[in-house]
Amino acid sequence: MRISSTQINDTMLGSLQTNYSQYGRLQMQIASNKKLLQPSDDPIASVALLGLKKEQASLNQYQKNITQVQNQLSQSEVQLESMTTMMLRLQDLTQTAANDSYSDADRAGIAVEIRSLQEGLIDLANAQDENGSYLFSGSLVDQ
């Protein structure tokens, strides 16, 4: 069987076109710094990559949630410490007011301070974080 020069030229031209196509593809991979340029390049790897992207998004959301909860807990701790201080002062005032040596005017002054502490406790109980969510409302953070 004879191979004509036309067949040789066609075969060489086809090989050159295939090699240029592969070269262009490699250049695009290098330029984009990605192995997969299209899902059809490697369907199995594409599916795995999509799964990894979903996992990464979930992990980022978990990290945001952890940070938010830590901030809320630290703010709640500060509020509770303030409430504890106020409650101890209320205890001192009630024990002081029970003493018979105080006059009615002294007791009226104590009552004013007690009302002030009561209002402060209510304000602390209704405290909100930086997002406007109430700290001590359980799962109903907007109420």
Side-chain angles (χ1 to χ4, degrees):
M1 166 184 217
R2 292 173 116 203
I3 300 175
S4 68
S5 57
T6 305
Q7 287 177 325
I8 292 174
N9 288 340
D10 288 342
T11 303
M12 290 298 284
L13 185 60
S15 294
L16 280 174
Q17 287 175 341
T18 302
N19 287 340
Y20 278 133
S21 172
Q22 290 174 351
Y23 175 74
R25 178 164 184 67
L26 289 173
Q27 287 289 72
M28 288 186 346
Q29 286 176 338
I30 290 171
S32 67
N33 211 13
K34 294 180 180 178
K35 182 180 177 185
L36 296 175
L37 298 175
Q38 300 173 347
S40 61
D41 293 343
D42 188 355
I44 294 173
S46 296
V47 169
L49 186 61
L50 288 174
L52 288 174
K53 285 182 180 179
K54 286 181 183 177
E55 285 293 322
Q56 185 178 18
S58 294
L59 290 174
N60 288 340
Q61 185 61 48
Y62 289 144
Q63 188 63 39
K64 287 178 185 176
N65 292 348
I66 288 170
T67 303
Q68 183 180 9
V69 167
Q70 285 176 335
N71 290 339
Q72 285 179 340
L73 287 175
S74 65
Q75 288 175 351
S76 296
E77 185 177 0
V78 168
Q79 299 295 333
L80 289 172
E81 287 174 3
S82 297
M83 287 179 183
T84 302
T85 304
M86 287 181 165
M87 292 298 289
L88 290 173
R89 179 65 182 150
L90 279 171
Q91 182 181 10
D92 290 344
L93 288 173
T94 54
Q95 288 175 352
T96 302
N99 190 343
D100 286 337
S101 64
Y102 286 101
S103 68
D104 288 338
D106 292 335
R107 286 194 179 101
I110 291 173
V112 168
E113 187 176 351
I114 287 175
R115 279 190 213 100
S116 172
L117 288 171
Q118 179 185 15
E119 290 172 7
L121 284 170
I122 290 171
D123 288 342
L124 289 174
N126 290 324
Q128 295 176 334
D129 64 4
E130 66 273 359
N131 297 327
S133 300
Y134 289 97
L135 295 175
F136 301 110
S137 65
S139 62
L140 302 174
V141 295
D142 59 342
Q143 298 180 3

